[in-house]
Amino acid sequence: MKNYYLKKFLSLTLAMTMLASLAACASPAENKAPQTAPDTQANEEKDKTSENTLASPEDAPWKNRDNEQVTVRAGFAKGMTGIANQFAIQSGWYKEAGIELELVDIPNPVAAFGAGEVDIADGDPGTYIPAIVNKVPMKIVSNMWRNRGAYWIIAKPEIKSLADLKGKTIGAAQATGGMKLTLMEVLSQNGIDPKNDVELVANGFYQTAYATFTSGEVDATIIHQPYATLAEKEGIGNVLAKTWEFLPDYHTGVLVASQKMIDEQPEVVERVLEVYFFANNYAKTHLDEFIPWAAEYLNLDEETAREAIEAEIILWENNPIVDTSRLQVTEDLLYKNGMQKESLDVNGVVDNRFAEKVAESLKLGKFAADNK
């Protein structure tokens, strides 16, 4: 009976936390949605291994090691947001490392962690920080491979600058969230009042947002790759802004592990991060090998896939260690833009032990050769 009431209390807590997190940042759809080209969805989120997969290299740290077989329930991003990790999954690199991934779709990640349904997941810290502060049993354990908002603002060809957006209709992805926050900040920094000088509309993500742009429903939109590249190549739009240049400290990507996994299987947390960051670093440094797979995965020709990926290569930092000061900047921005009732203190939401070990062993972040 005691457990029953405990579960009921937790459910109520999670519901309240989710209300805060949905107002705080991008929806799970923003993070998980497929990144297929707009003209077809035939290859949408391939779950089968591509013919272009690569065997793991001989210097992979899990090679020739006695890896205990474990099962990990994981909620990982797809599309461009999770592209190199999906490459590792589909190429069997996690299995080689003794990790059997049970991939789960978690539209409500906070509730999934609270109910013990997932062990590790990625996503926007604005979703997770309020939940961790409210005692949902999980911790941020590393950055994602990139953790600055990889968003672009594109506009009709006749719109040449951000200043030209005054009086226009602009796609803001959704009514609240990280993409709208980013758009509002960029507009404000360029002398445009996002509440009075423009009309912001919720036009969705990825191909949905691109369709509203190509149809003329919006004059401009904030959007992910590869659609910024496609708009330019198709001659229907031009890039007005790479938004991370305006919000360099806004943090958009972390990996989170359940407290149970951290406490009972710390070596597994480390092993997952090891595969994750090795794969992302390998893909970045072996683009000629990676691009053919990526093009097929994204349902693009190789030239467009390469252009889209290389356009964001500066964001491909592969630094596991979380800078908590940037998390605080994120919290402050969410509060400033009315997406949280308060700016939460991020002390205690991160456990960097595993990220430190993986960064040191793979020579990433502060341990990289060019940082010494």
Side-chain angles (χ1 to χ4, degrees):
M1 198 64 164
K2 181 180 178 182
N3 288 337
Y4 170 80
Y5 286 110
L6 180 61
K7 288 179 180 178
K8 292 292 286 183
F9 174 76
L10 179 58
S11 296
L12 289 171
T13 301
L14 291 173
M16 294 175 64
T17 301
M18 268 313 294
L19 288 174
S21 66
L22 286 173
C25 69
S27 73
E30 180 180 320
N31 187 41
K32 309 289 183 184
Q35 190 111 20
T36 53
D39 57 344
T40 178
Q41 295 187 23
N43 290 334
E44 187 172 69
E45 290 307 346
K46 297 184 177 192
D47 290 324
K48 295 182 180 180
T49 302
S50 163
E51 293 180 0
N52 289 329
T53 56
L54 298 174
S56 63
E58 289 304 313
D59 64 344
W62 57 83
K63 291 276 192 177
N64 303 315
R65 187 174 71 191
D66 185 15
N67 297 300
E68 177 189 0
Q69 295 296 307
V70 294
T71 298
V72 174
R73 298 165 301 172
F76 283 138
K78 299 178 182 177
M80 188 76 87
T81 305
I83 190 166
N85 190 47
Q86 289 296 324
F87 164 72
I89 293 169
Q90 294 186 18
S91 295
W93 290 13
Y94 281 94
K95 287 186 178 180
E96 286 184 14
I99 301 167
E100 186 68 41
L101 288 180
E102 183 180 312
L103 298 174
V104 294
D105 184 21
I106 50 171
N108 186 330
V110 173
F113 273 105
E117 297 169 351
V118 64
D119 301 309
I120 195 164
D122 52 26
D124 194 310
T127 297
Y128 293 114
I129 291 172
I132 297 170
V133 170
N134 282 283
K135 309 302 181 184
V136 177
M138 58 186 179
K139 284 288 197 308
I140 294 171
V141 292
S142 80
N143 290 318
M144 288 179 67
W145 60 288
R146 68 182 184 197
N147 51 74
R148 301 176 198 276
Y151 313 136
W152 301 68
I153 298 174
I154 60 173
K156 294 177 179 178
E158 61 268 25
I159 299 174
K160 303 296 184 183
S161 69
L162 289 166
D164 294 338
L165 290 175
K166 279 192 176 182
K168 305 299 184 185
T169 300
I170 309 174
Q174 60 181 11
T176 62
M179 293 182 77
K180 184 176 182 180
L181 179 154
T182 299
L183 176 61
M184 292 173 68
E185 278 290 312
V186 173
L187 292 174
S188 296
Q189 289 182 32
N190 285 273
I192 298 174
D193 183 342
K195 295 182 179 179
N196 298 308
D197 293 340
V198 295
E199 180 183 1
L200 301 184
V201 299
N203 65 330
F205 312 102
Y206 305 99
Q207 65 266 30
T208 302
Y210 194 66
T212 67
F213 179 72
T214 58
S215 68
E217 294 175 51
V218 297
D219 302 304
T221 189
I222 188 168
I223 206 162
H224 294 80
Q225 284 287 15
Y227 298 101
T229 295
L230 283 169
E232 290 191 318
K233 289 177 74 70
E234 294 173 356
I236 62 170
N238 56 281
V239 172
L240 296 185
K242 303 172 184 178
T243 65
W244 63 88
E245 295 178 347
F246 294 88
L247 289 85
D249 292 327
Y250 177 48
H251 201 304
T252 61
V254 293
L255 274 79
V256 178
S258 70
Q259 195 62 51
K260 179 179 174 65
M261 188 182 186
I262 291 171
D263 293 341
E264 298 179 5
Q265 296 179 297
E267 76 288 349
V268 177
V269 178
E270 185 177 338
R271 213 186 323 164
V272 171
L273 296 185
E274 182 182 66
V275 179
Y276 180 94
F277 282 101
F278 181 87
N280 274 281
N281 194 55
Y282 185 87
K284 179 184 179 182
T285 55
H286 295 79
L287 287 180
D288 288 342
E289 298 174 58
F290 176 64
I291 292 294
W293 180 92
E296 183 179 349
Y297 176 72
L298 294 171
N299 194 26
L300 297 170
D301 63 88
E302 289 189 21
E303 179 184 346
T304 302
R306 180 179 290 275
E307 288 182 24
I309 289 171
E310 289 185 343
E312 295 180 346
I313 204 75
I314 190 172
L315 300 178
W316 203 330
E317 295 176 327
N318 289 329
N319 180 12
I321 302 169
V322 180
D323 179 353
T324 55
S325 67
R326 286 186 54 221
L327 292 183
Q328 194 62 61
V329 168
T330 300
E331 281 294 303
D332 295 344
L333 282 170
L334 291 168
Y335 172 65
K336 172 188 172 184
N337 285 275
M339 295 181 184
Q340 283 188 185
K341 292 183 178 180
E342 61 180 320
S343 179
L344 299 172
D345 187 341
V346 302
N347 285 328
V349 304
V350 178
D351 186 340
N352 260 325
R353 289 176 297 160
F354 313 104
E356 287 273 357
K357 289 181 180 179
V358 170
E360 184 173 15
S361 65
L362 297 181
K363 301 297 185 286
L364 300 173
K366 67 183 181 181
F367 298 102
D370 56 1
N371 283 336
K372 292 183 177 181

